[in-house]
Amino acid sequence: MRSIWNGAISFGLVSIPIKLVNATESHSVSFRQIHTEDGGRVRYKKVCELDGEELSTPEIGKAYEDADGTMIPITDEDLAALPLPTAKTIEIVAFVPAGEIDPLQMDAAYYLSANGVPAAKPYTLLREALKRSDKVAVAKYALRGRERLGMLRVVDDVIAMHGLLWPDEIRAPEGVAPETPVAVRDAELDLADALMATLGEVDINSLHDDYRTAVEEMIAAKAEGGEAVAPPSPGEAPGGRVIDLMAALESSVRAAKEARGEDAVVTELKPRGTPKETGGKKSTSRTPAKKTATPARKSTSTADGAAGAAEEAPKKAATKKAPAKKTPAKKTTTKATTKKTATKEATKAAAKKTTPRKRTA
């Protein structure tokens, strides 16, 4: 890869000669401007506004436009005379946790390559130090005529640098969030959580630019003299319609499950708290109540009309052994009473037979 900047990393008293290489590249399809009547190429000419002459690159300089429109010429010598210690140096100023860098500050990405054999040892030292500390380096450097902020981190076995925007270049998000207060229900959050869980993870390397592919296929078809394939109609844009959020979330969960080959029935999407109380299933608290009530009715209906039968019924329904103990007790009492009654009647009969005999004597 071709380097775009040569310099050194300043790491305390350690200097590491490096080359700066672009870490990214654009694959977007670019177009040219043409004259629609004859297909001729339209080009831009650099023309002086004062005399109308077309200028070549060496004849063009730079200037700063003042508020009143006055042009203040600035030469390369003027810029070179400015005190810019980072003109050829990436100066590390601090090591901080990666979480302290706001992703909004991220800009262009570069690879830092060791420039020459002597640079291999200090380059490796810095790389391994970054790995072990689990931190990133914040640095200042100059590129294309201006000083910039950067972040150094390790990618595989290479030190990469991300250009960072200065903190005052990040705009405050004023007036961006919804101004109208909105209340989000727990049930809606549960559906959103379910949708997130259903979509799951993705291999970022499997993603690609579908639009770019379609553009390339269209260009290839037209180059061969064919006609471009008309894409399907996108239908009505959802942006202007009022939607049912719950229905949209449920439909999204079903669609995501179908795409993954899973059961598309949404059965466990309930308000927060329900899964903890019932385990995500329908409550069965009514079923035991019916079972308990049935034995109580039987016990009441089989009572012999004695007083207090209604009070004993719940106890018999709760304990199955209780009726078994009471029934033998009743039978035993009845047999004992019968025997006693028979004995008394036999004694009386014997007494009646003996009394007349005594009177006769």
Side-chain angles (χ1 to χ4, degrees), residues 179-199:
E179 297 181 358
T180 305
V182 178
V184 179
R185 294 180 296 168
D186 287 343
E188 294 169 339
L189 287 174
D190 289 337
L191 280 168
D193 291 343
L195 178 57
M196 292 168 62
T198 303
L199 292 176

Side-chain angles (χ1 to χ4, degrees), residues 7 13 24 27 44 54-55 63 75 77 94 106-107 145 147 152 164 167 172 188 224 230 237 241 250 261 331:
L13 297 179
T24 62
H27 289 165
Y44 291 99
E54 184 177 353
L55 304 177
T75 65
E77 291 74 15
M106 297 289 188
D107 199 2
E147 190 171 50
L152 276 63
L164 299 179
E188 294 169 339
E224 295 176 359
R241 294 186 291 112
E250 290 176 355
K331 292 180 179 179

Side-chain angles (χ1 to χ4, degrees), residues 34-54:
I34 62 171
H35 187 192
T36 55
E37 291 186 2
D38 54 19
R41 175 82 179 271
V42 176
R43 298 180 182 273
Y44 291 99
K45 293 183 178 181
K46 297 181 179 180
V47 178
C48 177
E49 292 182 352
L50 297 179
D51 54 22
E53 294 183 5
E54 184 177 353

Side-chain angles (χ1 to χ4, degrees), residues 257-334:
K257 286 187 175 182
E258 289 175 355
R260 296 169 66 91
E262 301 177 1
D263 184 9
V265 179
V266 184
T267 56
E268 298 183 358
L269 304 178
K270 296 181 179 296
R272 293 179 182 269
T274 302
K276 295 181 180 180
E277 296 172 0
T278 63
K281 299 180 180 179
K282 293 183 178 180
S283 176
T284 56
S285 59
R286 295 183 179 179
T287 304
K290 292 181 181 179
K291 291 182 179 180
T292 305
T294 303
R297 291 174 184 172
K298 290 182 179 179
S299 300
T300 306
S301 61
T302 55
D304 297 332
E311 298 177 358
E312 295 178 358
K315 296 180 180 180
K316 292 180 180 179
T319 307
K320 294 181 179 180
K321 295 181 180 181
K325 291 180 180 180
K326 291 181 179 180
T327 303
K330 290 181 180 180
K331 292 180 179 179
T332 305
T333 305
T334 304

Side-chain angles (χ1 to χ4, degrees), residues 39-100:
R41 175 82 179 271
V42 176
R43 298 180 182 273
Y44 291 99
K45 293 183 178 181
K46 297 181 179 180
V47 178
C48 177
E49 292 182 352
L50 297 179
D51 54 22
E53 294 183 5
E54 184 177 353
L55 304 177
S56 61
T57 301
E59 296 178 295
I60 301 174
K62 60 175 67 74
Y64 175 80
E65 185 177 3
D66 205 354
D68 59 359
T70 304
M71 294 295 177
I72 304 174
I74 303 295
T75 65
D76 292 337
E77 291 74 15
D78 293 334
L79 296 176
L82 295 177
L84 187 59
T86 57
K88 287 292 182 178
T89 304
I90 299 175
E91 181 183 353
I92 296 177
V93 296
F95 292 89
V96 300
E100 292 188 8

